[in-house]
Amino acid sequence: MPAELPIQQKLSIKQARRLALAAQGFNGRQRPATIKASHVTQLIERLGVLQIDSVNALVRSHYLPLYSRLGNYPQKLLDDAAWSQGRQRKLFEYWGHEASLLPVDLYPLMRWRMQHAAQGEGIYQQLASFGREQQPTIARVLQAVRDQGALGAGSLSTRQERAGPWWDWSAEKLALEWLFAAGEVTVAGRRGFERLYDLPERVLPDAIIQHPELDEGQAQRGLLLHAVGALGVGTEKDIRDYFRQDPAPARAGLAALVEEGRINVVQVQGWKQTAYALPELSVPRKVATSALLSPFDSLIWERARTERLFDFHYRLEIYTPAHKRVYGYYVLPFLYNERIAARIDLRAERAAGRLAVHAVHEEQPGLDEEGMHALALNLRQLANWLGLPDVLINCQRASAARLREAFVASGFDHL
């Protein structure tokens, strides 16, 4: 982006933080007493993407961002929006920000990525090689999907022994993943966590399938514009990371959007990089809310932006050896009144019927009494949502002792 572009607005770091929280669906308002399907779809349309991850230490990650914003919603509402039978579904699976659920209206904006994938671009090298070398297998698998309908890889595999690398994927699974990346199949549903693949025209609404083709530049600008709206304010890297767009087309797209007056150039206090926001900025006076956040929540997944916005350094330790972990295996940041005020290592111990709190770490300057009570309430409500009767505070830190006191003062049972 040319450095000479004039700054159109200046934001303090508090304003940027509030703008980001509001854009991400944290508005501090009272949550609806009854969560309806429309609440779920409207929120996902605002966010644009829910990241999917296989780790199930607490709950599958795509369910958590909605819970953080809506509270006690039925998970079936998300399942129906994403994988309902019939072609009235609201979401589709694709590579948005990693493996993701996205609103169906964004499907036309992803076709260029599918076309690139079919040419072996923008996908894992091993998958690209498979696409070049195994077209007969791919054609056979695609024909099986045409003939038989929604299929999982397990029902197609003919191998008699382990395949080796790539998570021990069979040739049929690789073929399905290549077809999925290329847009030749889409996810019709899931059996457990296993994807079931079918033809897009048998899964998605007719209006989406028949949508006129967009040129790549138009589609990329559409994704950038959606990302700016979902982030509230962000640098070029923040914005292109939202849908994992490449630097060169993102810079060109942002320049075009600025020239068209669809986004503004803004300066955020303390940020070295130029930032961008929608012209019609509405910064809340405050965002009084508290929530436990998924490690894969779109508010915090760009870690450098999280540090700039919240002065919060966050890294996943799932794949770190246990003896080298600093905070824990599955750590949820705790958002409290515009700060990320703590991080909590949690596990759903389903067989024992309890939510286990394995570590409580406060961030400077710590949680006041009201904040600790808010954390206790969030943990009790999370356990209720997960159908877990008990909360086990399995931590010997001073912060955990304060949390136990907050549980008692709030009248909540704990183990």
Side-chain angles (χ1 to χ4, degrees), residues 12-327:
S12 70
I13 190 63
K14 285 186 177 180
Q15 288 176 314
R17 193 181 300 133
R18 289 167 184 163
L19 188 62
L21 287 168
Q24 279 283 299
F26 295 101
N27 53 28
R29 298 174 191 159
Q30 187 171 357
R31 292 165 174 170
T34 302
I35 308 299
K36 301 177 182 177
S38 59
H39 292 121
V40 168
T41 54
Q42 287 168 13
L43 179 54
I44 299 173
E45 286 166 4
R46 171 192 282 268
L47 297 177
V49 58
L50 293 177
Q51 185 175 340
I52 299 171
D53 189 82
S54 61
V55 176
N56 198 22
L58 188 68
V59 65
R60 300 287 187 195
S61 64
H62 51 284
Y63 293 107
L64 265 175
L66 301 181
Y67 173 77
S68 298
R69 292 154 176 82
L70 294 174
N72 191 358
Y73 80 99
Q75 294 179 20
K76 186 177 184 299
L77 293 180
L78 179 55
D79 293 340
D80 289 346
W83 301 296
S84 61
Q85 298 303 311
R87 301 202 302 188
Q88 299 306 310
R89 67 175 59 198
K90 304 296 185 181
L91 309 176
F92 73 102
E93 285 193 45
Y94 194 60
W95 296 101
H97 182 96
E98 301 295 335
S100 304
L101 286 167
L102 305 99
V104 292
D105 287 348
L106 294 188
Y107 189 86
L109 301 184
M110 288 292 175
R111 283 183 174 143
W112 65 271
R113 181 166 287 171
M114 298 171 187
Q115 292 163 1
H116 281 219
Q119 300 302 314
E121 301 169 7
I123 57 176
Y124 294 112
Q125 182 179 346
Q126 294 94 327
L127 197 59
S129 297
F130 185 89
R132 289 192 299 269
E133 299 165 4
Q134 299 292 334
Q135 280 299 314
T137 300
I138 290 170
R140 171 174 62 82
V141 168
L142 180 58
Q143 189 60 49
V145 173
R146 286 197 187 104
D147 293 343
Q148 300 176 49
L151 293 173
S155 60
L156 288 170
S157 179
T158 58
R159 75 180 192 197
Q160 301 298 313
E161 56 187 23
R162 292 178 62 84
W166 266 73
W167 301 286
D168 193 34
W169 281 2
S170 66
E172 290 79 10
K173 172 62 173 174
L174 285 165
L176 284 168
E177 287 297 320
W178 187 92
L179 289 163
F180 172 67
E184 296 291 326
V185 301
T186 192
V187 178
R190 282 185 178 259
R191 182 169 49 220
F193 199 65
E194 180 191 15
R195 285 172 171 166
L196 302 177
Y197 304 84
D198 204 346
L199 303 179
E201 56 266 31
R202 294 202 292 237
V203 173
L204 301 174
D206 291 341
I208 297 301
I209 296 298
Q210 296 165 8
H211 191 284
E213 197 78 17
L214 303 175
D215 70 58
E216 182 176 335
Q218 185 180 6
Q220 294 240 26
R221 289 193 298 276
L223 291 173
L224 291 167
L225 189 62
H226 199 110
V228 173
L231 289 170
V233 60
T235 66
E236 174 254 314
K237 186 176 184 298
D238 300 337
I239 293 162
R240 65 178 166 85
D241 176 74
Y242 205 79
F243 290 106
R244 293 293 167 88
Q245 294 170 263
D246 290 333
R251 293 188 193 108
L254 287 171
L257 290 169
V258 170
E259 186 175 351
E260 294 167 7
R262 301 177 76 184
I263 61 173
N264 281 353
V265 181
V266 301
Q267 183 180 76
V268 178
Q269 174 191 6
W271 291 15
K272 296 179 181 179
Q273 307 97 327
T274 301
Y276 305 90
L278 297 179
E280 58 278 7
L281 286 187
S282 178
V283 182
R285 296 184 64 180
K286 66 176 182 177
V287 181
T289 191
S290 63
L292 290 158
L293 303 175
S294 163
F296 306 99
D297 195 294
S298 50
L299 177 68
I300 57 168
W301 65 28
E302 215 305 302
R303 307 307 191 198
R305 180 173 184 266
T306 302
E307 290 190 44
R308 278 184 274 113
L309 270 178
F310 297 103
D311 192 25
F312 180 74
H313 180 85
Y314 185 50
R315 297 293 183 271
L316 286 175
E317 297 183 296
I318 292 172
Y319 304 108
T320 301
H323 68 282
K324 293 185 178 181
R325 291 180 194 139
V326 177
Y327 297 106

